[in-house]
């Protein structure tokens, strides 16, 4: 039986190394944030630094790939909730899933202002996230389950807000974010009889 061609073997090795790098980088960034070095990521993946740069031109390119995976995970979760029987519960499930990802991955909230966030595929994924967040929010609005002025972009931004609020507590109290998630959800569902004092953002810009 003929063995693999050298070209085929090289492609297989490249695919395997890329997967090892992405897994190692996701773990390292989740634990240590964006300041984790390329050398540490290479060591975790069991490859040389040169292999990292053959796949990703810079740390920001690697961060963009990790961000894209997390955003796609959240978009898939949200898409699965758009037909739920209870739009209010679906919106809270979406918020919960988003905060869990932010809490799990330190780097997610540390890339604000970095070039990795401006990567074209990442920007497109953020737009998809805002679109599906608006679908979920609109369903809840139409049923009178959230305040009239609340938008999907508001909801997407509030996810990060919950993580940032709970961040000083998480090392000692890993579930503390749930307290602030409930406070936020109560705030967007409470009937106050007044409009919000500032208009909603027209789009999600994190540059």
């Amino acid at each position: 039986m003929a063995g693999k061609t050298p070209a085929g073997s090289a492609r297989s090795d490249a695919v395997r190394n890329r997967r090892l790098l992405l897994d190692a980088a996701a773990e390292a960034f989740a634990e240590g944030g964006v300041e984790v070095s390329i050398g540490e990521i290479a060591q975790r993946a069991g490859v040389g630094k040169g292999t990292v740069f053959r796949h990703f031109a810079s740390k920001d390119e690697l961060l963009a790939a990790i961000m894209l995976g997390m955003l796609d995970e959240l978009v898939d979760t949200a898409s699965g909730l758009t037909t739920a029987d209870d739009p209010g519960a679906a919106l809270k499930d979406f918020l919960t899933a988003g905060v869990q990802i932010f809490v799990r991955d330190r780097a997610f909230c540390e890339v604000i202002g970095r070039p990795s966030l401006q990567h074209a595929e990442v920007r497109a994924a953020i737009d998809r996230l805002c679109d599906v967040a608006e679908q979920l929010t609109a369903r809840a609005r139409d049923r009178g389950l959230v305040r009239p002025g609340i938008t999907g972009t508001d909801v997407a931004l509030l996810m990060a807000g919950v993580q940032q609020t709970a961040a000083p507590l998480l090392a000692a109290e890993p579930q503390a974010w749930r307290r602030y998630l409930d406070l936020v959800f109560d705030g967007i569902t409470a009937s106050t009889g007044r409009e919000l004092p500032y208009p909603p953002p027209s789009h999600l810009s994190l540059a």
Side-chain angles (χ1 to χ4, degrees):
M1 181 170 128
K4 288 183 179 178
T5 65
S9 180
R11 282 193 297 271
S12 177
D13 287 346
V15 170
R16 180 182 63 85
N17 284 340
R18 182 180 175 86
R19 185 69 263 161
L20 286 171
L21 284 169
L22 286 171
D23 289 345
E27 181 181 88
F29 288 139
E31 293 173 5
V34 298
E35 297 309 315
V36 171
S37 70
I38 291 294
E40 180 178 338
I41 291 167
Q43 185 175 24
R44 285 186 184 228
V47 301
K49 287 175 67 174
T51 300
V52 180
F53 290 115
R54 279 196 291 275
H55 288 273
F56 304 98
S58 66
K59 182 192 283 188
D60 280 310
E61 286 288 320
L62 181 52
L63 274 166
I66 301 300
M67 284 286 294
L68 188 59
M70 290 190 285
L71 287 164
D72 284 345
E73 177 185 347
L74 191 48
V75 169
D76 287 346
T77 297
S79 297
L81 292 167
T82 55
T83 57
D85 291 337
D86 184 339
L91 187 61
K92 188 170 185 181
D93 286 347
F94 173 58
L95 268 164
T96 302
V99 178
Q100 284 178 316
I101 288 175
F102 288 5
V103 167
R104 183 189 74 201
D105 293 280
R106 262 188 63 184
F108 204 112
C109 290
E110 291 183 4
V111 298
I112 307 303
R114 291 186 67 105
S116 50
L117 197 64
Q118 301 309 314
H119 191 283
E121 290 185 39
V122 173
R123 295 304 309 172
I126 290 172
D127 289 343
R128 290 196 300 275
L129 177 61
C130 287
D131 287 345
V132 74
E134 179 56 30
Q135 290 178 46
L136 289 171
T137 307
R139 292 184 75 227
R141 272 200 320 264
D142 291 346
R143 298 272 191 94
L145 301 174
V146 297
R147 294 171 65 172
I150 300 297
T151 70
T153 300
D154 290 327
V155 170
L157 287 167
L158 285 168
M159 290 176 183
V162 171
Q163 188 275 341
Q164 294 284 6
T165 300
L169 307 173
L170 294 177
E173 302 178 61
Q175 299 299 311
W177 60 269
R178 295 185 182 277
R179 173 182 177 85
Y180 301 102
L181 175 62
D182 270 10
L183 284 170
V184 164
F185 196 71
D186 285 351
I188 68 174
T189 57
S191 177
T192 65
R194 64 179 179 83
E195 294 184 0
L196 292 166
Y198 191 83
S202 58
H203 65 286
L204 184 54
S205 176
L206 302 176

